[in-house]
Amino acid sequence: QVQLVESGGGLVQAGGSLRLSCAASGRTFSSYQMGWFRQAPGKERECVAAVSWSGGSTYYADSVKGRFTISRDNAKNTVHLQMNSLKPEDTAVYYCAATIGVGSRWPLTGGYEYGYWGQGTQVTVSS
């Protein structure tokens, strides 16, 4: 089992940057695929990025490709989301999530495929 705590959200102007962090408890962090999801008011939750167990494979939604970077440090039980060139449409609550995986499937982008979630952190981008 793993517990997740996000940090790093806030208010930023369009074009700015934020770095979200997710600290995980448990000694088996490296066994989990990790994802960052976001949900804006009135919109469905979407996976914006995911990283494989080793960090060797990454996934990005088209809406953030080239602007966001996901990374993980298994020695420190952390996963980060570096967000650059932020846009007002990036405004949402961002969630860190972990999954033990579904066989060899990659990437896992459905929220239902993740069993562990953080509490979320608000990101607001002003125009």
Side-chain angles (χ1 to χ4, degrees):
Q1 196 168 3
V2 62
Q3 293 181 325
L4 306 171
V5 178
E6 302 99 334
S7 61
L11 173 65
V12 64
Q13 289 188 332
S17 298
L18 282 174
R19 187 181 191 229
L20 304 184
S21 296
C22 175
S25 65
R27 292 176 291 178
T28 59
F29 176 71
S30 60
S31 300
Y32 294 87
Q33 293 183 38
M34 301 298 296
W36 283 98
F37 289 74
R38 69 184 181 187
Q39 188 164 22
K43 294 189 176 181
E44 292 188 357
R45 180 176 54 189
E46 65 169 332
C47 180
V48 296
V51 63
S52 61
W53 297 278
S54 67
S57 297
T58 56
Y59 159 85
Y60 297 98
D62 287 344
S63 57
V64 307
K65 202 170 292 184
R67 299 188 298 121
F68 289 12
T69 302
I70 189 171
S71 61
R72 69 186 296 163
D73 185 337
N74 287 340
K76 296 182 178 180
N77 284 14
T78 57
V79 61
H80 303 285
L81 185 68
Q82 178 67 43
M83 305 185 295
N84 298 329
S85 302
L86 283 161
K87 304 175 181 180
E89 51 263 44
D90 294 318
T91 295
V93 178
Y94 283 71
Y95 298 90
C96 174
T99 176
I100 199 66
V102 182
S104 60
R105 284 181 54 199
W106 169 261
L108 298 176
T109 61
Y112 65 93
E113 296 173 307
Y114 287 74
Y116 304 97
W117 294 83
Q119 82 286 354
T121 185
Q122 177 71 46
V123 171
T124 302
V125 184
S126 64
S127 57

